[in-house]
Amino acid sequence: MRTYSLTVLLWSCMFHMIHMLSSEKRTNKHSHSERITGLSENDGKTLHRNKRGWMWNQFFLLEEYTGPDTQYVGKLHTDQDKGDGNLKYILTGDGAGSLFIIDENTGDIHAAKKLDREEKSLYVLRAKAIDRKTGRQVEPESEFIIKIHDINDNEPKFTKDMYTASIPEMAGVGTSVIQVTATDADDANYGNSAKVVYSILQGQPYFSVDPETGIIKTALPDMSRENREQYQVVIQAKDMGGQMGGLSGTTTVNITLTDVNDNPPRFPQSTYQFSSPESAPPGTPLGRLKANDPDVGENAEIEYSISSGDGSDMFDIVTDKDTQEGIITVKKHLDFENKMLYTLRVEATNTHPDPRFLQLGPFKDTAFVKISVEDIDEPPVFSRPWYLIEVDEDVKEGSIIGQVEAQDPDITKNAIKYSVDRHTDLDRIFNIYSGNGSLFISKPLDREETPWHNITVIATEINNPKQTSQIPVFIRILDINDHAPEFAKYYETYVCENAKAGQLIQTVSAVDKDEPPRGHKFFFELVPEFALHPNFSIVDNKDNTAGIMTRRNGYSRSKMSTYLLPIIIFDNDYPIQSSTGTLTIRVCACDSRGNMQSCNAEALLLPAGLSTGALVAILLCIIILLVLVVLFTTLKRQRKKEPLIISKDDVRDNIVTYNDEGGGEEDTQAFDIGALRNPEAREESKMRRDVIPETIFQIRRTAPLWENIDVQDFIHRRLKENDSDPAAPPYDSLATYAYEGNDSIANSLSSLESLTTEGNQDYDYLSDWGPRFKKLADMYGGEDSDRD
């Protein structure tokens, strides 16, 4: 058996190892293993020993080689190599052919590039020898490792370029702030290249750093945020255990001191001065004051309060949450005449105290506030908020019904004048004495028309008319028994012809516009002349009603169709009022049950109880309608008018009209205007009553319209004139009359007539013309409508 051996030579910068395999070269005639024969005492077996070449399984190579030539790694060699070039060496594995190159003839291995341990720390390669001619592998494939030896070529690097940290102010010494960490890419298992030590380059004496852990801690006690809030600390990390020659890296740590409530509020001054006009309404702000607190956030929140002072019930203080200021406000109405100066003691307190610092003292402060009240010219003040006056409705004009009183609240005590707001008394029923505020009546009162009057009285300072006050005055009109009771309604009463004596035919009741305090009480009785009426009697029911009773049996329509029964109605108030109402009783035919069947002729014609005047009005309307119909028919049959000028030689004033759209002279129509000038000329030619007149536009002599004040008399006079006029047409015609009434009592309001008078005119009569002339009455009715 033949034996092969493999020799591998590796070269490094630290040591040079040459391994040679010394063995006897054997020819192909000998086997690879030498058989050793020995005798065994037990079984007599033959022992064999294989002889091989040396193999290296791990080699070192220096990283970052910077020499002029490629770095020699080692040499592959087999005892089968005779040096004749028949063998070929092949290298495979990590980096073979790129990083590691082998000479296939000699087996020498070189590193073609500079190696970096931080990129790859070891390479696994495989080597084999092949016969060039046969391609047969003469040696088994051998595997070995090349490990890169580390050098200190990487500085420590922090995980962050900049750190941010915060710590409460006033923290104790040694309080941890933050931990920084640096890493070194070098081999930590070889030497001190990766051993990092921390140190502080900037930030002393406030902070320190642990050299092994990188924890930053406080180094000074009682660091105040109010003195300094921001700190910048520079930390260095150095490898080689911090020894000289080691590489280093730095980072920056920004440290902020957070606030704690370690400062109480303080007023910058001990006394504040404010002023307020006495007219300031409640809630009016007077001024602001602020206690300084160097803390921030909720630690600087302050609550203000009034702890004492003579103005604690007149003023208040609220806190502005945005500015942490105290705002002094008015709490009640001020009065300069009552008190001119107030003093307050204001307290400012932290709302979130820190128990750790309570030993430093109370976290509050006090200050004094003085408020002076300014005098303002105030309007007059009435003695009451409103007035109620009761007055009888029969009070005479000019009578005083009550008095209002006001005075100037200022020290000057200006004189006051009174007036009535005419917007609340358009009818000028009430007036007031401007000097003393006494109200009096200017016109009669009527409770039934207006039971209440609500007026406004104005009080004005004479020296300062801008200062005015108003007060409502409620005037209640008390009832006086000045109205007589009347029937509650119109009664349609009838009695049956077959009625029996003592039969109730009607129940009547009464109403009264007055309102007595104890209620109405009415009494009914017949007029003394009819106290013993033979046909009917009245019975007072004592409940404000009365019954009409029959006094005999049977009534006859033929003898008496209607009975008139006068009844007197009394009230029970003082003075007693009474009225007489007449009850019309008709006699009607009734059935056996008393139901009315028919009454007399008048009752049949007027079932609704129409009066004679209403019937005349209805008949007159019917006549007017008939006249209109006849007049319309007559106008259709009217013949064409003949001109008033009969002869062409008759030269009189004429009016000739032309129609520009017609046929010129042929379209002209003329009439005699002289007839209009002399209406008497119409009387010369009387017209026949049995002939239809050629024109209905006849001129008649009539009395002036203003002489006929009574319209009914005017109509009768016109009817009489037409009846006696022989020229009046016998057919139906319509005469229309209009009545404009009397002239206005206002006469002329033209300012042209005012030139004929001397001096100022008196326009007081305008006040009597009613609401329509109110504006003129206010403008020209005098300087002061109120009575002095």
Side-chain angles (χ1 to χ4, degrees), residues 149-177:
H149 182 69
D150 182 45
I151 64 173
N152 190 16
D153 59 344
N154 291 280
E155 72 278 1
K157 292 184 179 180
F158 286 92
T159 56
K160 294 182 181 179
D161 294 335
M162 181 176 292
Y163 292 83
T164 301
S166 62
I167 185 174
E169 63 174 333
M170 309 299 291
V173 177
T175 303
S176 297
V177 180

Side-chain angles (χ1 to χ4, degrees), residues 8 42 106 132 137 182 249 330 380 450 594 608 651 661 700 704:
V8 180
N42 296 326
T106 63
R132 289 180 183 272
Q137 185 173 320
V330 178
T450 307
V651 179
E661 297 179 358
R700 298 178 182 177

Side-chain angles (χ1 to χ4, degrees), residues 403-528:
Q403 184 179 13
V404 297
E405 183 180 359
Q407 63 179 358
D408 184 10
D410 299 319
I411 297 178
T412 55
K413 302 297 180 183
N414 292 327
I416 306 297
K417 70 173 182 178
Y418 303 89
S419 61
V420 176
D421 185 357
R422 291 306 173 189
H423 293 90
T424 60
D425 184 25
L426 298 176
D427 296 332
R428 295 179 175 266
I429 299 176
F430 304 95
N431 216 324
I432 191 170
Y433 288 104
S434 61
N436 58 10
S438 297
L439 286 166
F440 61 91
I441 299 296
S442 298
K443 292 183 179 180
L445 301 176
D446 187 357
R447 187 204 66 84
E448 287 69 33
E449 181 179 354
T450 307
W452 284 88
H453 294 272
N454 301 328
I455 65 174
T456 300
V457 175
I458 303 173
T460 306
E461 291 185 12
I462 296 178
N463 295 336
N464 187 4
K466 293 183 179 180
Q467 295 296 336
T468 62
S469 296
Q470 298 182 353
I471 196 73
V473 179
F474 307 104
I475 302 174
R476 179 183 180 183
I477 310 302
L478 300 179
D479 184 36
I480 297 298
N481 193 26
D482 56 348
H483 290 83
E486 301 174 348
F487 279 128
K489 63 178 181 178
Y490 175 77
Y491 293 98
E492 296 180 0
T493 307
Y494 70 93
V495 60
C496 297
E497 289 182 314
N498 56 358
K500 303 297 182 179
Q503 182 177 344
L504 176 66
I505 62 173
Q506 183 69 59
T507 299
V508 297
S509 61
V511 293
D512 194 339
K513 294 182 180 179
D514 296 320
E515 292 184 1
R518 294 182 298 275
H520 292 290
K521 182 64 178 178
F522 302 122
F523 304 95
F524 303 86
E525 64 181 37
L526 295 178
V527 175

Side-chain angles (χ1 to χ4, degrees), residues 29 110 143 165 195 222 303 312 334 409 502 541 611 768:
K29 296 179 181 180
H110 292 80
E143 183 179 89
K195 185 177 182 180
D222 301 333
E303 186 70 27
S312 57
L334 304 175
N541 297 327
S611 63
D768 301 328

Side-chain angles (χ1 to χ4, degrees), residues 196-427:
V196 179
V197 175
Y198 301 95
S199 62
I200 184 168
L201 300 182
Q202 178 182 325
Q204 295 174 333
Y206 306 103
F207 299 95
S208 62
V209 63
D210 189 297
E212 295 182 359
T213 62
I215 298 176
I216 301 175
K217 301 179 180 180
T218 57
L220 286 181
D222 301 333
M223 286 191 296
S224 175
R225 183 199 64 84
E226 290 73 29
N227 295 333
R228 183 176 178 181
E229 184 177 4
Q230 298 288 339
Y231 295 88
Q232 191 174 73
V233 179
V234 178
I235 303 297
Q236 181 189 65
K238 190 175 183 181
D239 60 11
M240 297 297 292
Q243 298 178 4
M244 185 177 296
L247 302 178
S248 63
T250 60
T251 187
T252 301
V253 182
N254 291 323
I255 302 176
T256 302
L257 296 184
T258 58
D259 185 61
V260 297
N261 193 4
D262 59 339
N263 294 281
R266 290 290 181 264
F267 283 104
Q269 57 191 72
S270 59
T271 304
Y272 293 84
Q273 295 281 348
F274 296 106
S275 61
S276 172
E278 62 176 335
S279 60
T284 302
L286 303 182
R288 293 172 175 254
L289 66 161
K290 183 178 182 181
N292 298 326
D293 191 335
D295 296 324
V296 294
E298 68 175 13
N299 296 324
E301 292 182 1
I302 300 174
E303 186 70 27
Y304 295 89
S305 62
I306 298 176
S307 59
S308 62
D310 56 359
S312 57
D313 58 338
M314 301 299 295
F315 301 93
D316 197 2
I317 185 169
V318 295
T319 303
D320 189 334
K321 298 300 183 181
D322 296 330
T323 62
Q324 297 300 316
E325 293 177 312
I327 306 174
I328 302 293
T329 60
V330 178
K331 188 176 181 180
K332 295 182 180 180
H333 287 286
L334 304 175
D335 187 0
F336 173 82
E337 290 72 24
N338 185 26
K339 189 174 181 61
M340 296 180 290
L341 182 64
Y342 294 90
T343 301
L344 306 175
R345 184 179 181 182
V346 178
E347 187 175 89
T349 307
N350 274 144
T351 57
H352 299 86
D354 194 331
R356 296 176 299 172
F357 306 101
L358 292 179
Q359 70 277 5
L360 300 179
F363 279 73
K364 60 182 179 180
D365 194 16
T366 58
F368 290 95
V369 178
K370 294 184 178 181
I371 302 175
S372 58
V373 181
E374 299 175 353
D375 187 23
I376 299 297
D377 189 5
E378 299 177 88
V381 177
F382 285 91
S383 59
R384 301 179 187 175
W386 49 272
Y387 290 87
L388 174 62
I389 299 176
E390 294 182 344
V391 58
D392 294 333
E393 64 176 324
D394 62 345
V395 66
K396 296 182 179 180
E397 297 181 23
S399 299
I400 296 177
I401 61 174
Q403 184 179 13
V404 297
E405 183 180 359
Q407 63 179 358
D408 184 10
D410 299 319
I411 297 178
T412 55
K413 302 297 180 183
N414 292 327
I416 306 297
K417 70 173 182 178
Y418 303 89
S419 61
V420 176
D421 185 357
R422 291 306 173 189
H423 293 90
T424 60
D425 184 25
L426 298 176
D427 296 332

Side-chain angles (χ1 to χ4, degrees), residues 30-165:
H30 300 87
S31 62
H32 289 284
S33 60
E34 182 180 358
R35 178 178 297 174
I36 301 175
T37 303
L39 297 177
S40 174
E41 297 179 356
N42 296 326
D43 53 4
K45 291 183 178 180
T46 304
L47 301 176
H48 299 277
R49 178 176 62 86
N50 292 331
K51 186 178 182 181
R52 288 184 174 274
W54 294 98
M55 290 185 60
W56 301 89
N57 60 358
Q58 182 168 328
F59 307 98
F60 293 92
L61 185 64
L62 188 64
E63 71 167 333
E64 303 293 346
Y65 175 74
T66 57
D69 299 328
T70 58
Q71 190 175 185
Y72 181 73
V73 177
K75 184 180 180 63
L76 292 180
H77 184 72
T78 178
D79 56 357
Q80 299 294 325
D81 189 0
K82 304 300 183 179
D84 53 3
N86 290 329
L87 295 181
K88 178 182 178 181
Y89 295 96
I90 297 175
L91 185 65
T92 60
D94 295 338
S98 58
L99 294 180
F100 303 102
I101 301 173
I102 188 172
D103 189 337
E104 63 180 13
N105 294 322
T106 63
D108 292 327
I109 302 174
H110 292 80
K113 296 180 180 179
K114 182 172 61 174
L115 302 177
D116 188 357
R117 190 202 65 84
E118 285 70 37
E119 293 182 2
K120 192 173 181 65
S121 60
L122 58 87
Y123 297 85
V124 179
L125 299 173
R126 291 177 296 277
K128 58 184 176 179
I130 299 175
D131 191 327
R132 289 180 183 272
K133 293 180 181 181
T134 63
R136 182 180 59 88
Q137 185 173 320
V138 298
E139 289 283 352
E141 187 177 57
S142 178
E143 183 179 89
F144 61 94
I145 296 174
I146 301 177
K147 189 172 184 179
I148 309 302
H149 182 69
D150 182 45
I151 64 173
N152 190 16
D153 59 344
N154 291 280
E155 72 278 1
K157 292 184 179 180
F158 286 92
T159 56
K160 294 182 181 179
D161 294 335
M162 181 176 292
Y163 292 83
T164 301

